[in-house]
Amino acid sequence: DTFLLRDPAPRVLAQVASGEGDGSGGAYEALFARHADADCVNIGVFYLRSTARTAVWMSQFLAWYHDHPFEIDQRGLHVFLGLPAKQMSIAWKPDDLVKLRAGILEDVNEIVIGDVGWHGALPRMLIFHWCHRPIEQKEAELNAAYDAGDSVEAHNLPVSLAVEVVKAALPGTPWEKILDFRSILQGYHMESPPER
């Protein structure tokens, strides 16, 4: 239930390399999106560096989640990542938990969760995630996103650019699909960033 408006890899890998976001420097081993209006990570979009250490960490998480199925996966991941949160805990955190260098992806304009909304500039959006939407709405909006992408593919035009520049369209043209998708994205736009 995600759609990539632009390739997120350059931005994500730049953040991984820079350690941007927590001030301690060095490369990240894990980056997760989160809910822009809350402390908790969201598992819709994430990056894990492929190392023996992250494999052990993920194995620890999966074993814990298997043994504690009453817990919420996202809350567990947040705590396992060691990310700060005002009020978040889990039952029976492992004592020998491997520590990863973890951070958060920009969640207000770049990696957007539709249910929360977004704020900023449409050209900065990388990924839109239809989290918590009714399935009928999610299906219709995802279909519109892919229709928009398909309509400009033959012209070698990135959907992100098309969505940015379209202001009007003749009925039945590829631009109508782009305009429809732009209207969907604009429907989630907020005049100010959500409050955590």
Side-chain angles (χ1 to χ4, degrees), residues 47-92:
Y47 162 90
L48 289 175
R49 183 179 306 154
S50 178
T51 66
R53 211 166 118 93
T54 55
V56 170
W57 176 86
M58 183 55 85
S59 296
Q60 288 179 311
F61 170 75
L62 292 173
W64 170 84
Y65 195 43
H66 176 269
D67 293 342
H68 304 94
F70 55 86
E71 286 281 8
I72 298 170
D73 55 353
Q74 294 181 158
R75 183 180 359 198
L77 282 166
H78 194 101
V79 171
F80 269 61
L81 289 165
L83 296 170
K86 291 179 186 171
Q87 296 180 5
M88 193 175 316
S89 187
I90 57 170
W92 300 284

Side-chain angles (χ1 to χ4, degrees), residues 4-71:
L4 279 65
L5 283 92
R6 291 189 295 131
D7 179 4
R11 172 70 178 99
V12 170
L13 294 175
Q15 185 176 346
V16 165
S18 73
E20 161 191 326
D22 74 356
S24 62
Y28 283 121
E29 297 167 288
L31 289 173
F32 275 74
R34 72 173 166 191
H35 298 268
D37 62 347
D39 284 336
C40 191
V41 298
N42 179 281
I43 59 173
V45 178
F46 62 91
Y47 162 90
L48 289 175
R49 183 179 306 154
S50 178
T51 66
R53 211 166 118 93
T54 55
V56 170
W57 176 86
M58 183 55 85
S59 296
Q60 288 179 311
F61 170 75
L62 292 173
W64 170 84
Y65 195 43
H66 176 269
D67 293 342
H68 304 94
F70 55 86
E71 286 281 8

